[in-house]
Amino acid sequence: MILLKKYGPIGLIYIILNILLFIFWWVVTDPGNYIWRSIDVEKEILLVSACNKLFLIKYYVYVVVCNCLLTAIAFYELKRIVRIAIVLFAAAFFFITKSLFDPYVGRNYYTIFENQKVSKNFFLEPVSDAGKSIGPFLLEKLNEKPSYSREQAAKGLGIIRYTAATEKLTRILYDSTELISMRAECFYALTKMNTPESKKELEEFSVMHNEQSGDSLLIDRINFVEMQDIY
């Protein structure tokens, strides 16, 4: 009875925390977030599989970390060195699993990005959710044929500030054979990078391309993209 009174509340908190974590990641990785209209069965299978994998990765990582931190807080009577060891283990577990799982997280979010069916305002949600882990996949997308998703890949690289894409985005920006809409997205992405290198490229571009240079359509498109910025 004494043990029940002592550890009962803590046990209840553990149960509630784990249930809340389960519900949170179940909702966040729900395939319905990315399927607003009917899609091909093949695409739906790919998307659902990607969401399920993300749930497994995200939930189990965070459940371990949160339970470790709760243990360090709840069992205050433990020696300080033990509490510190628990916190350090949680931190090490988080960063190690992040480095190990980031490629899988990025790949699955990219699968969602490619197969989703949502409104244009929400098209880049998988990118912002994935962070830099999706960067290599978006960068590779720039090598494909012109498409709306290719343009959004360029914009997404700016949103996550994937600086490794600066050179590729700059080449496309200066390429007059590319669609104006694509070049405008690359300009937007470079402004989001906000690095000395990207600032230098944009300054040089602005000097070369202005209203009097006969490239007003590109300038107008750039202004339009910047006006539509929700990130």
Side-chain angles (χ1 to χ4, degrees), residues 61-158:
V61 169
Y62 278 87
V63 78
V64 171
V65 172
C66 289
N67 278 286
C68 285
L69 295 178
L70 180 59
T71 299
I73 295 171
F75 292 93
Y76 55 87
E77 73 274 7
L78 293 175
K79 291 182 179 180
R80 182 182 299 177
I81 188 65
V82 176
R83 296 201 304 272
I84 293 174
I86 293 173
V87 172
L88 290 176
F89 170 80
F93 178 83
F94 177 80
F95 287 110
I96 291 172
T97 53
K98 179 176 174 58
S99 64
L100 290 175
F101 291 139
D102 256 10
Y104 301 100
V105 170
R107 183 182 296 116
N108 284 298
Y109 271 118
Y110 181 75
T111 299
I112 294 172
F113 170 81
E114 282 281 69
N115 296 285
Q116 64 185 333
K117 198 74 170 180
V118 297
S119 67
K120 290 185 176 181
N121 289 339
F122 291 88
F123 201 85
L124 288 174
E125 288 301 303
V127 175
S128 59
D129 290 341
K132 285 189 170 72
S133 65
I134 200 175
F137 303 96
L138 296 180
L139 181 56
E140 184 63 27
K141 180 70 177 179
L142 299 185
N143 295 322
E144 297 184 9
K145 295 180 180 179
S147 65
Y148 177 75
S149 59
R150 180 173 179 254
E151 294 174 11
Q152 294 305 295
K155 176 181 283 188
L157 287 165

Side-chain angles (χ1 to χ4, degrees), residues 103-224:
Y104 301 100
V105 170
R107 183 182 296 116
N108 284 298
Y109 271 118
Y110 181 75
T111 299
I112 294 172
F113 170 81
E114 282 281 69
N115 296 285
Q116 64 185 333
K117 198 74 170 180
V118 297
S119 67
K120 290 185 176 181
N121 289 339
F122 291 88
F123 201 85
L124 288 174
E125 288 301 303
V127 175
S128 59
D129 290 341
K132 285 189 170 72
S133 65
I134 200 175
F137 303 96
L138 296 180
L139 181 56
E140 184 63 27
K141 180 70 177 179
L142 299 185
N143 295 322
E144 297 184 9
K145 295 180 180 179
S147 65
Y148 177 75
S149 59
R150 180 173 179 254
E151 294 174 11
Q152 294 305 295
K155 176 181 283 188
L157 287 165
I159 291 171
I160 63 176
R161 295 185 178 180
Y162 192 70
T163 55
T166 300
E167 183 181 350
K168 181 68 174 179
L169 292 169
T170 302
R171 287 206 304 269
I172 296 174
L173 175 61
Y174 278 94
D175 188 350
S176 59
T177 64
E178 288 280 356
L179 295 174
I180 286 176
S181 56
M182 182 65 187
R183 296 172 70 192
E185 297 293 2
C186 290
F187 183 95
Y188 168 92
L190 289 169
T191 62
K192 288 291 186 181
M193 295 291 184
N194 198 30
T195 62
E197 184 182 2
S198 64
K199 288 179 180 178
K200 179 183 177 182
E201 296 292 351
L202 291 174
E203 287 173 2
E204 292 178 359
F205 178 84
S206 297
V207 171
M208 293 177 61
H209 298 75
N210 52 53
E211 300 263 349
Q212 289 74 39
S213 69
D215 214 355
S216 59
L217 287 177
L218 175 57
I219 302 302
D220 289 344
R221 183 66 186 185
I222 289 172
N223 291 334
F224 173 79

